[in-house]
Amino acid sequence: MANFIKLRQFALILAMSMVPLFFWLFSRAMHELENSRAWLEHTYGVLEQLHRLRSDIDTLEIARKGYFIRHHSEHLLQFSHVRQGIPQRIAQLEGMTRDNSYQQTRLDQLDDTLSKLITVTVRSISDLDDRNIPYPEYSGKAVPLFERARFVLGEMHAHESALLKSRLDNSDAKQSQLRVMLVLFGMGFLLLLAFILNNMYREIVQRRKVEKGLLESQMLNEITVHNLSLMGELGSLLQACSQIDESLDVIRQFAIRLLNVDAGAIYLFRESRNQIEEKISWGDALQSDPIFQPDDCWALRRGEPHMTGGMYDSLNCKHLHDVPGAYSLCIPIVAQGNVLGVLHLENHKGQKLEEVQRKLAYALASQVALALASMKLRETLRNLSVRDPLTGLFNRRYMEESLQRELAIAERKQRSLGVVILDLDHFKQFNDTFGHDAGDFLLREVGAVLTSNSRSSDIVCRFGGEEFVLIFPETSMEMVQERTERLRVAIFALQLQHFGRSLRQISASFGLAFYPDHSTRADELLRMADKALYRAKAAGRNRVEMAIAPTVKSAEAPQAFGDEVAGDH
């Protein structure tokens, strides 16, 4: 038995030592994934600049032809405007491709070609004004330069597209490595915990699937620069949103501008997970129920987009109304393996949903999923920062901040405020007798008792170890005493069993202090309540004691009291 306990302790130490290693590896993998995505964004930026430079070259040729054919001054203005912008565009590309020698070489060629083209064009314009040279004479000089510029630009675009595909593959590989790392470390850690706890936890832990992150390059190439800028602006605004309702309103406004459909809506799961509810809609009246069951949508059943109407002669979702000639598309909103809802689109007049529109809808669904998952994650992190992980009660940091805030409110409203500190009696002896697992179980049960016997306005915190703090805003002294006594009786009445073994009866001692009767400062209130708790311990435990008001407290009492109960708290 002793050897088994030592083995358990060794396994626990091993498990705890693996935790920082796991977090380090996880952080490193996340950093690599972020770097990979940053390179993807850089590649998209280079492709966009190449596209704009191609547009400038086309505009330059149009202006050149227009002036030589029609001799209108506005073509000269157009030529001058593009001519001034091309060096800046090339300089931007040079800065963005400084790490790519191939692209730098092509840029030098392109810069030289464009310089020659502009020089030839300027000289020809001057000759045209002076000597009225024929257009074919100039065209024979300019056309080869235009073709050379387009050829070099095409080589750069092809090279950057190849880089984009490579970096997309690398990003997918990083995500796969991260998924494998999470699975391997998660399984190992769970197996160690299962061994330490004698196979207490035997339920199969469902693993979350990592969401497919990036869209294929072919889809992104088909999206116009305008749509790309809208998607970027949408992502930026969603990151700045702090609430789900706020983010949904932003999504609705951008969906109207991005998706050319008659009607659309976003449905999200209710908290019960048994119904889907319409959160936002746009366009014409929806031909779909505002609330329906998850099984009523084939997209949710199959876990993939589902289209009906026209050539897509598939089964209609039950939440759709029967409208002849209508097209509909349902796209699951999935983030990190969790289905959050459905993006639903409709065309009512026989106009089918084009592939570009479908791909934009897939991108929007992914953006919505990431935003919702991010906000839920932020809510979870906020809860973790103020909650005790064992009992679920507020932690000491939250208690200290809340006490300062409630004291300020009590002072402004001229109301009383009660502070209660309770300590479980003989908790160390309980741990030594029944083990730390039983001790943790007891702390959770006591936390549940405190929560169930508290109002929504009360603040219940775990102060540390077996100590708890309760803050009663705007509550009279008599009411706090009465409720504290009920808590003492409820804790004393607990009959607990831990894995078939009955645990002994437990009791708690309480110390009370009030604003403004005992102090107006937070630290002083806690100290007065703690002294009252010491007196409850010294008087036999399982008691409720009130703090002694400063006006009646003798100068020698604290020293005598401290000597009497030293080591008993």
Side-chain angles (χ1 to χ4, degrees), residues 283-323:
D284 300 336
L286 283 173
Q287 303 300 319
S288 174
D289 296 333
I291 300 176
F292 56 88
Q293 303 294 325
D295 288 343
D296 292 342
C297 182
W298 283 106
L300 290 178
R301 285 192 183 188
R302 301 166 59 200
E304 59 185 40
H306 183 74
M307 178 173 286
T308 59
M311 59 180 292
Y312 305 99
D313 190 15
S314 57
L315 294 174
N316 285 335
C317 296
K318 293 182 181 179
H319 61 88
L320 289 174
H321 305 162
D322 188 9
V323 179

Side-chain angles (χ1 to χ4, degrees), residues 109-161:
Q109 296 175 359
L110 182 63
D111 189 16
D112 181 65
T113 302
L114 290 177
S115 299
K116 292 178 180 179
L117 176 63
I118 292 173
T119 301
V120 168
T121 304
V122 171
R123 186 182 300 117
S124 299
I125 289 173
S126 177
D127 292 342
L128 176 67
D129 293 338
D130 295 339
R131 298 186 288 108
N132 196 20
I133 64 172
Y135 172 72
E137 180 180 343
Y138 162 72
S139 181
K141 299 177 181 179
V143 169
L145 293 175
F146 275 112
E147 291 178 351
R148 175 60 180 170
R150 291 192 182 97
F151 176 75
V152 174
L153 198 61
E155 287 185 330
M156 294 181 67
H157 191 279
H159 179 76
E160 203 67 30
S161 298

Side-chain angles (χ1 to χ4, degrees), residues 552-564:
V552 299
K553 181 174 62 174
S554 66
E556 299 179 356
Q559 181 62 38
F561 166 71
D563 294 340
E564 179 183 358

Side-chain angles (χ1 to χ4, degrees), residues 198-211:
N198 294 320
N199 298 321
M200 287 175 11
Y201 301 106
R202 296 181 180 179
E203 297 180 0
I204 299 176
V205 179
Q206 296 182 349
R207 298 173 184 87
R208 295 181 178 180
K209 295 180 180 179
V210 178
E211 180 205 9

Side-chain angles (χ1 to χ4, degrees), residues 499-515:
F499 292 99
R501 181 173 59 169
S502 296
L503 305 179
R504 77 181 187 195
Q505 193 173 34
I506 193 71
S507 63
S509 301
F510 296 77
L512 284 66
F514 290 87
Y515 167 90

